[in-house]
Amino acid sequence: MPRLSLGARYMILAAALFSGMQVCVKALPRIPAHEIVLFRGLVSVSLCWTLLRARRMSPWGKHKWGLVARGITGSIALLLFFYTIHRIPLATASTIQQLAPIFTLTLAGVFFGEKVKPAQVLWFAVAFGGVAMAQGLDPRVPLGDAGIGMLSAFFSGLAYNLVRRLRHTDPVLVVVFYLPLMTVPLAGAVCLALGWVTPRGGEWAWLIAVGVITQLAQMAMTHAYHLEEAGRVSQYSYLAPILSGAWGWFFFSEGLRPGVAAGMGLALFGMWGAASLSRPALRSSPTQ
């Protein structure tokens, strides 16, 4: 087996960290999803601000409307994704979220005029068929929750395309900073509207872990995409739902029936195929 490149190893590390973050979210069933997003945003904005000041970089950026739009779309994606983690099995939620690169590529055709190859359309059909198979065979996944998961992936695709637009105007750390900067007021408003559940005991540790692990995952993914083209490393991000399935089975006794596992495998196979054919349109940001 050929030795993995440094970029591939960074992406594998990011996938492992993102799956670990999902475990932390799943371990907080009493805390509403929007509240977890708020705490994650508070931790991330503090870490980003510290790094920006240490590097003596202006945090406000040049393309402000694009940065704000990126932050809002990413925040919506987070709120919806954390909601699905609470509502459906971890492996299935993670698999649906991995449709984000497909939405990224499709929306790139709108934003950048990039054409989709016929072979990519076939891979898209395979991926969506796998997700539909997993959703249809798992009675724990209501259609509405699956739809919310796909909507989260769609907003992630929007956010990633905005990141591509910003790469020529603003540094990565500034783009990363705007996600929690928008997340905190947005999630805070949702908390005010829907009520507040005060964390207690070990829940504080889990909430801090969500923010810290996310920041480490962002850094690992940033290194991966700085070192190599997206087409060479993006497929490794699909390890996240596989790891999430393992963690869901180990920590939360979430069994996978053969048909559901086959659907998830088909979805991952289709998404890997789409990634292998893509170019910069599949480039993800270090903010998922």
Side-chain angles (χ1 to χ4, degrees):
M1 177 181 293
R3 184 177 180 182
L4 289 174
S5 66
L6 184 59
R9 282 179 277 171
Y10 270 122
M11 184 58 78
I12 291 171
L13 175 61
L17 288 168
F18 279 131
S19 69
M21 178 269 291
Q22 294 166 24
V23 171
C24 295
V25 174
K26 192 76 173 180
L28 291 163
R30 200 180 66 87
I31 306 299
H34 51 270
E35 201 169 314
I36 300 174
V37 172
L38 174 62
F39 277 103
R40 169 187 157 151
L42 290 171
V43 173
S44 294
V45 79
S46 300
L47 292 173
C48 285
W49 180 265
T50 301
L51 289 172
L52 285 165
R53 303 318 296 171
R55 298 179 185 181
R56 298 183 179 180
M57 296 171 59
S58 171
W60 309 120
K62 298 178 181 178
H63 205 316
K64 290 183 174 57
W65 76 263
L67 289 164
V68 170
R70 185 273 170 273
I72 291 174
T73 54
S75 298
I76 294 172
L78 274 176
L79 285 164
L80 296 176
F81 180 47
F82 280 22
Y83 173 84
T84 60
I85 290 177
H86 269 183
R87 295 277 298 178
I88 64 179
L90 191 58
T92 306
S94 183
T95 298
I96 294 174
Q97 178 62 23
Q98 290 303 314
L99 290 172
I102 293 177
F103 284 117
T104 303
L105 183 60
T106 303
L107 292 169
V110 177
F111 292 140
F112 301 106
E114 298 177 0
K115 295 181 179 180
V116 178
K117 301 176 182 178
Q120 288 174 320
V121 176
L122 176 61
W123 285 116
F124 294 170
V126 171
F128 275 105
V131 171
M133 180 179 177
Q135 189 277 329
L137 292 174
D138 195 338
R140 298 168 297 182
V141 183
L143 183 61
D145 290 339
I148 290 174
M150 290 188 181
L151 191 60
S152 170
F154 172 78
F155 275 102
S156 294
L158 279 176
Y160 295 160
N161 274 284
L162 287 166
V163 169
R164 290 196 64 222
R165 188 180 185 90
L166 293 165
R167 61 181 175 168
H168 300 300
T169 59
D170 294 283
V172 169
L173 190 55
V174 173
V175 177
V176 173
F177 174 65
Y178 265 80
L179 175 60
L181 189 65
M182 296 295 104
T183 295
V184 170
L186 181 60
V190 176
C191 289
L192 288 175
L194 299 182
W196 179 264
V197 177
T198 302
R200 58 193 182 202
E203 290 173 338
W204 288 104
W206 286 113
L207 286 167
I208 294 172
V210 169
V212 173
I213 293 174
T214 297
Q215 193 72 14
L216 293 174
Q218 291 172 0
M219 293 173 65
M221 187 178 286
T222 303
H223 281 298
Y225 283 120
H226 275 196
L227 288 168
E228 298 186 40
E229 296 179 358
R232 295 176 59 88
V233 296
S234 60
Q235 63 265 34
Y236 295 106
S237 68
Y238 303 137
L239 291 172
I242 297 174
L243 292 171
S244 294
W247 304 148
W249 170 79
F250 186 80
F251 291 111
F252 308 108
S253 300
E254 294 179 348
L256 288 178
R257 294 187 299 172
V260 178
M264 291 173 56
L266 184 64
L268 293 174
F269 179 64
M271 288 182 284
W272 179 88
S276 66
L277 292 174
S278 64
R279 290 295 180 265
L282 269 181
R283 187 181 300 273
S284 299
S285 78
T287 51
Q288 168 58 29

